[in-house]
Amino acid sequence: MTDKIVVFKDKQIRRILHNNEWWFSVTDIVEVLTDSSDSRQYIKKMRQRDPELNANWGTICTPLQLVAADGKKRKINCANTEGIFRIIQSIPSPKAEPFKRWLAKVGYERVQEIEDPELATARTRELYKAKGYSDAWIEKRMRGIAVRAELTEEWKSRDVGESPEYAILTAQISKAAFGMTPSEYKQYKGLDWENLRDHMTDLELIFSMLGEAATTEIARKADAQGFTENRTAARRGGRIAGDARKKLEQQTRAKVSTPENYLDEPEAIKKLKGKS
């Protein structure tokens, strides 16, 4: 699952990629269409006014983890495009029609990305560029995304359950490569809900890629099947990256892992970006 924030007429709407389609925060949608100061109360009254909507609420809405106002990830009621259209039917608002067109456009773009993954790649590049990342960093980040996707596809074909087994295997690779699990690494960088790899330096990205690419190759050569055998492959792949990292650190007398991140002001950011 991947979470993002999109904007409709200067209003932020949280969304998350779930089962290969976008799901949107219901409370954010209600706030956009009603300007309500208490969206939860509005939703409660809306459900009372519409018994059919209320009866199917559990089917229309699914609690998914999104970033809350306090910066923590919490389970928040979300609905896909079809579900949001049904909710909109119960909201008498002149804002509904342009919002419907916007929502349809967002859904159509996702369909385009599924049919042509290069579009998704291009849009991701544009997003990183707009955030101020250097071209050199973006190239490494995009390559890292491709390496990660190849690894997860390999796990899927080798009878590894998705969540939480992917997370456990990823932690094994990271621990062997950097001496830290992803959650420990985020604490080290002072991150909370942010994507760890979006805050890695060039070298950190390179060694992440090496660990995952090595794991993929080891799993193939060993024909690892199931979670236990792939956990062994993950440890071995991570150690390859970890050994290479240690050799570089010996030669340069500098640590690869750094607490710097793109949240820092502005000197640390300049160091991370480097000269493109």
Side-chain angles (χ1 to χ4, degrees):
M1 297 190 299
T2 304
D3 53 17
K4 294 180 183 291
I5 292 176
V6 288
V7 177
F8 174 77
K9 294 187 181 299
D10 298 326
K11 296 290 184 71
Q12 290 188 341
I13 299 172
R14 290 166 294 176
R15 67 176 181 176
I16 187 167
L17 196 57
H18 176 62
N19 291 337
N20 213 24
E21 63 178 339
W22 287 118
W23 289 64
F24 302 85
S25 163
V26 174
T27 56
D28 291 354
I29 301 294
V30 169
E31 287 177 6
V32 164
L33 295 181
T34 66
D35 292 326
S36 172
S37 60
D38 190 344
S39 56
R40 290 184 180 179
Q41 192 64 26
Y42 187 97
I43 291 170
K44 181 179 179 180
K45 292 179 179 178
M46 178 181 67
R47 292 175 62 181
Q48 290 173 347
R49 292 194 308 265
D50 190 336
E52 183 182 352
L53 175 66
N54 188 55
N56 292 287
W57 190 256
T59 303
I60 293 171
C61 297
T62 297
L64 298 172
Q65 281 201 334
L66 294 175
V67 179
D70 61 2
K72 302 289 186 180
K73 278 197 171 184
R74 305 185 189 284
K75 285 195 172 183
I76 295 170
N77 269 336
C78 297
N80 61 10
T81 303
E82 181 182 358
I84 293 297
F85 277 136
R86 176 61 185 88
I87 291 169
I88 289 173
Q89 290 176 11
S90 294
I91 301 176
S93 169
K95 298 180 179 181
E97 283 307 315
F99 183 81
K100 287 178 183 178
R101 292 195 295 271
W102 174 84
L103 193 62
K105 181 177 180 292
V106 171
Y108 177 63
E109 287 177 352
R110 179 58 189 159
V111 171
Q112 285 181 310
E113 290 173 0
I114 293 171
E115 293 177 349
D116 185 359
E118 288 187 7
L119 285 175
T121 300
R123 286 170 181 152
T124 302
R125 286 179 184 275
E126 290 172 4
L127 178 63
Y128 282 127
K129 192 77 172 177
K131 288 182 176 180
Y133 290 89
S134 72
D135 290 337
W137 185 94
I138 292 171
E139 286 302 317
K140 294 180 183 67
R141 183 70 178 97
M142 298 306 297
R143 182 57 189 151
I145 291 171
V147 168
R148 174 68 183 178
E150 186 176 5
L151 175 59
T152 55
E153 282 299 312
E154 198 67 32
W155 282 339
K156 188 183 298 182
S157 69
R158 296 183 178 282
D159 198 29
V160 176
E162 293 192 9
S163 182
E165 291 188 357
Y166 283 14
I168 295 171
L169 296 182
T170 300
Q172 294 286 328
I173 297 170
S174 179
K175 188 73 172 180
F178 297 104
M180 293 179 279
T181 65
S183 59
E184 292 169 342
Y185 217 141
K186 289 177 77 171
Q187 289 180 351
Y188 176 64
K189 283 183 173 289
L191 304 174
D192 188 3
W193 56 268
E194 298 86 358
N195 186 305
L196 172 61
R197 298 188 198 206
D198 283 354
H199 294 270
M200 283 185 165
T201 64
D202 286 27
L203 283 175
E204 288 173 308
L205 288 174
I206 288 169
F207 285 107
S208 294
M209 280 190 278
L210 176 58
E212 293 190 336
T215 298
T216 300
E217 192 64 18
I218 290 168
R220 287 172 179 165
K221 295 298 184 184
D223 193 21
Q225 298 295 328
F227 172 74
T228 301
E229 291 183 8
N230 277 280
R231 182 172 58 185
T232 299
R235 288 171 178 164
R236 291 171 61 192
R239 277 199 296 270
I240 289 172
D243 290 343
R245 172 185 60 80
K246 290 171 186 175
K247 288 180 180 178
L248 178 62
E249 289 175 341
Q250 288 173 356
Q251 292 294 319
T252 61
R253 297 181 181 178
K255 293 290 186 182
V256 167
S257 297
T258 168
E260 293 173 349
N261 60 58
Y262 281 87
L263 300 179
D264 293 336
E265 292 299 327
E267 287 302 318
I269 296 177
K270 290 177 182 177
K271 290 178 185 177
L272 277 174
K273 290 179 180 177
K275 297 179 180 179
S276 56

